[in-house]
Amino acid sequence: MSDFDLVLKGRVILCDREVEGGFVAVREGRVALIGEGTAPAARDRHDLGAALILPGAVDAQVHSLSQKGAEGFAASTAAAAAGGVTTIVDMPYDEGNLVCSAKAVEIKAAEAEAQARVDVALYGTIDPLEGPARIAEQAEAGVCGFKFSTFGTDPKRFPRIPPALLMACFAEVAKTGLAAGVHNEDDAFVRDAIAAVEASGITDWRAHGMSRPPMTEILALLQIYETGAATGCPAHVVHCSLGRGYEIAKRYRDEGHPATIEACIHYLTLDEENDVARLGGKAKINPPIRPRAEVETLWRHVAAGNVSMVSTDHVSWSEDRKTNPEMLKNASGVPGLEVMVPLFVKGALARGVPLTWAARLLAENPARHFRLDPAKGGIALGRDADLTVLEPVAKRYDAKASRHSVAGWSPYDGIELPWTVSGTWLRGQQVFDGNTVAAPGTGRFVRPARPLGLRRAVHG
């Protein structure tokens, strides 16, 4: 009789090394043994040959409920499971329900428990009219971080937090030991730039990048990190499209401040002059997709260790909200849960970037940042057996043909993916087998596990 419930044998990607001909053995939902060579017996054993065995990804930025009736947890986590993502961190800006109180957190957590196919952690935020009064109660209810914005997308669903209030919020978040994540665009600058674009009469794909020039990001990023430095709160920029932003973040870390920064997979994949020009509204994202030179600069920052984590900023807008010929009238954001892991693997291998960065940036660092470790993160003894397998089978991505994406469209349609997700396991239970995904309710609401105030850096 075997001592193990599950054994996967293949090319194991750890945070510090790759193990060719390695194996991961699982007992009672946790990683029990990592080795090389002959794998032990198990009740469920998979000899995967040249396949990659990666940690299940922790997607730091997902919007499952931004459009009522368009997605929801059952659908978003189906795409996650099919994409090798075993934990999503869901944003608090739900249509009709700003998650800004303990009660709102409890309601959303219950919804996740009932519907999710993979694990779900939650961001909280504030109602600007209430200020930071409900930050402590949300931390007690189990949020893993707080999200704010320096730009107002919508006064109710996605409000701007002005500088003085942002500082007050940071000071309150600092008491919880959690991090404050901020959408980084300077509101006044963006609005002036939009007005200038509208006055010019330009309405095609060029309008979006022109309406959000690089300085709109940099000014907001500086405000975020200075606010963190002034309050002692860990400051996190939730998406940065510019190499300059990663340089600035590193400078703050070098000064001793907990300053982290996130790259979305679209900034590592798509470019303005080719993809935005071709896709129009389907490539409208805030901050915007930048020129190809910036894409390659960001990959250099990945290789240098200057990126804290990689996420999707996933949102499955219905197609009618992404196809207006007037660029600025389209909704902002794209789906990405199903393809983030294979896109990152493709990009890394094409540039000679070690796949250990996939384990760190897609799993270890986000789990640590949101204090979901030691249960979540890279493959390690005692951790949840959250694993994904990618086989060297090339496929051309087609969201409309996918059984797991409700969007029916994707900016990544037509991209050749040389590695395909063939299996995903959550706590040792298979939630995706290459065709089907686990039932709703398989996932859990997960909350920060470590005592408040005990933090470690996510770099190095």
Side-chain angles (χ1 to χ4, degrees):
M1 182 176 291
S2 170
D3 287 336
F4 300 107
D5 303 315
L6 170 70
V7 166
L8 303 180
K9 179 174 173 58
R11 181 179 168 190
V12 180
I13 310 299
L14 304 176
C15 290
D16 60 349
R17 68 191 188 283
E18 298 184 22
V19 184
E20 295 276 1
F23 63 82
V24 180
V26 177
R27 184 188 299 120
E28 296 180 351
R30 297 186 181 275
V31 176
L33 183 66
I34 303 167
E36 187 175 6
T38 303
R43 283 181 282 277
D44 184 16
R45 191 174 184 277
H46 300 259
D47 192 337
L48 301 164
L52 304 175
I53 301 171
L54 284 158
V58 178
D59 191 338
Q61 191 169 180
V62 176
H63 299 261
S64 297
L65 306 171
S66 284
Q67 183 181 352
K68 284 184 177 178
E71 192 166 40
F73 281 126
S76 69
T77 57
V85 176
T86 50
T87 303
I88 66 169
V89 182
D90 211 73
M91 287 293 176
Y93 303 118
D94 304 339
E95 187 174 42
N97 179 38
L98 194 66
V99 181
C100 57
S101 69
K103 184 64 175 175
V105 173
E106 290 162 6
I107 291 171
K108 189 170 182 179
E111 186 175 354
E113 289 265 356
Q115 296 184 13
R117 305 167 199 264
V118 302
D119 287 349
V120 177
L122 297 178
Y123 261 111
T125 189
I126 67 157
D127 181 334
L129 298 179
E130 290 184 335
R134 294 184 180 274
I135 283 175
E137 70 176 55
Q138 291 179 78
E140 188 65 26
V143 300
C144 64
F146 289 89
K147 172 73 183 296
F148 310 107
S149 181
T150 56
F151 178 79
T153 299
D154 181 274
K156 292 291 185 183
R157 191 184 73 82
F158 204 127
R160 171 182 179 253
I161 308 300
L165 179 54
L166 188 68
M167 181 169 283
C169 289
F170 269 49
E172 196 65 23
V173 172
K175 298 175 186 177
T176 72
L178 299 170
V182 188
H183 179 110
N184 49 302
E185 293 182 297
D186 184 85
D187 193 271
F189 201 148
V190 170
R191 297 194 186 283
D192 285 347
I194 289 173
V197 172
E198 290 175 340
S200 75
I202 295 173
T203 62
D204 63 12
W205 63 271
R206 297 169 295 165
H208 188 50
M210 293 171 65
S211 73
R212 285 167 149 83
M215 190 58 71
T216 61
E217 272 193 72
I218 297 303
L219 289 178
L221 183 142
L222 289 166
Q223 178 196 341
I224 293 161
Y225 288 144
E226 281 299 312
T227 304
T231 59
C233 181
H236 180 61
V237 168
V238 300
H239 36 43
C240 183
S241 67
L242 302 164
R244 177 63 176 157
Y246 296 88
E247 295 171 4
I248 292 170
K250 183 179 184 301
R251 289 187 182 184
Y252 276 87
R253 290 194 300 275
D254 288 347
E255 292 175 3
H257 303 295
T260 50
I261 190 165
E262 193 169 322
C264 298
I265 193 63
H266 40 261
Y267 299 131
L268 295 169
T269 305
L270 306 174
D271 66 60
E272 184 180 42
E273 61 267 38
N274 295 297
D275 301 301
V276 181
R278 173 175 55 89
L279 294 166
K282 288 185 176 180
K284 182 173 181 275
I285 303 167
N286 297 335
I289 301 297
R290 303 295 184 184
R292 175 53 52 176
E294 284 288 0
V295 177
E296 298 308 323
T297 297
L298 264 57
W299 274 106
R300 290 193 288 274
H301 281 290
V302 166
N306 295 334
V307 177
S308 304
M309 62 195 79
V310 172
S311 69
T312 60
D313 200 1
H314 169 98
V315 58
S316 283
W317 296 119
S318 55
E319 195 165 8
D320 62 295
R321 297 187 65 172
K322 297 291 288 181
T323 52
N324 194 309
E326 293 191 41
M327 185 69 167
L328 296 184
K329 292 185 177 180
N330 290 285
S332 295
V334 299
L337 277 164
E338 200 172 19
V339 287
M340 173 179 69
V341 175
L343 281 172
F344 186 90
V345 167
K346 175 182 179 173
L349 291 175
R351 295 166 177 83
V353 174
L355 290 183
T356 50
W357 281 116
R360 293 183 212 172
L361 299 182
L362 302 180
E364 181 74 12
N365 287 1
R368 187 178 295 174
H369 175 82
F370 294 108
R371 294 192 10 246
L372 302 177
D373 64 332
K376 305 297 183 183
I379 300 170
L381 295 179
R383 279 197 173 143
D384 287 354
D386 296 349
L387 306 163
T388 187
V389 170
L390 276 72
E391 293 186 340
V393 176
K395 287 187 179 179
R396 193 174 298 275
Y397 185 63
D398 181 355
K400 189 162 290 191
S402 170
R403 296 180 298 278
H404 314 295
S405 170
V406 300
W409 66 274
S410 169
Y412 310 113
D413 280 340
I415 291 181
E416 186 85 9
L417 299 172
W419 292 82
T420 299
V421 176
S422 61
T424 305
W425 285 259
L426 175 68
R427 294 185 299 277
Q429 176 181 349
Q430 193 160 18
V431 292
F432 178 65
D433 64 5
N435 292 296
T436 60
V437 294
T442 303
R444 300 174 184 169
F445 169 55
V446 291
R447 59 177 68 215
R450 287 185 282 119
L452 298 182
L454 295 181
R455 301 187 59 83
R456 289 174 289 157
V458 299
H459 293 268

